[in-house]
Amino acid sequence: MKKLMVFIMLLVPFYGFSQARLENLLAEREKMHREWKASESKKSGIFGNRTKKDMIETHDWMARIIQKDNQIMDELKMLSEIEKTEITYEKNDYKFISQKQEREIAILKRALAEKDQVVEEKKSDKRTYEWTTLIFFLSTLAFGYLYFKRRKSG
């Protein structure tokens, strides 16, 4: 459990760093896109036409943008993996906690059943004592009555 918490604590700054890196990559891509647009509108040829050099420059900007997009995709994949890992660890934590609580509930149920059994035994003992006392009292009355009846007649 402690190892898991340490691992998550180590991932949090990395996740924040990755998020900042992703934002930085997106800003760089936005800047490249503006540069590509500018190169797209560049017409340095005769009569205001685009030259081969202009088209190569535009193509180069597009290649850089595609490369940046690939970096962004890699970063997104890494963030996704980090999130999956965190979710897996959280799921395992919750599973561990629920299993622990289930074990504790089972222990408490057994303890409650044992206490109920003890209470029932004590009630049974009390009833036995009450019946014994009642029988003793009634037999004492009967013997007393017979004793006084015999004494009076004899």
Side-chain angles (χ1 to χ4, degrees), residues 12-105:
V12 169
F14 184 69
Y15 182 76
F17 172 74
S18 293
Q19 197 73 19
R21 179 168 155 74
L22 180 63
E23 289 173 13
N24 193 21
L25 288 171
L26 288 171
E28 289 174 13
R29 187 197 186 281
E30 186 68 32
K31 181 181 173 189
M32 287 178 164
H33 189 263
R34 284 192 302 269
E35 294 288 334
W36 171 77
K37 281 248 187 209
S39 76
E40 184 78 7
S41 63
K42 201 181 222 184
K43 297 178 182 176
S44 60
I46 302 175
F47 306 113
N49 292 325
R50 289 180 52 100
T51 63
K52 185 176 182 181
K53 184 179 174 188
D54 293 338
M55 287 194 257
I56 290 173
E57 184 181 346
T58 301
H59 181 267
D60 288 345
W61 278 111
M62 187 55 70
R64 287 186 206 127
I65 290 173
I66 290 171
Q67 188 178 21
K68 190 59 67 176
D69 285 346
N70 288 337
Q71 288 176 344
I72 290 169
M73 292 302 291
D74 290 343
E75 197 69 26
L76 286 172
K77 284 178 188 174
M78 186 176 65
L79 285 173
S80 173
E81 289 300 317
I82 290 172
E83 286 178 0
K84 283 180 188 175
T85 303
E86 287 177 352
I87 289 170
T88 301
Y89 282 122
E90 286 177 10
K91 183 183 94 171
N92 289 339
D93 279 349
Y94 288 131
K95 186 176 179 181
F96 173 77
I97 289 168
S98 70
Q99 288 173 347
K100 182 180 175 188
Q101 288 177 340
E102 287 174 2
R103 283 191 303 268
E104 289 174 357
I105 288 171

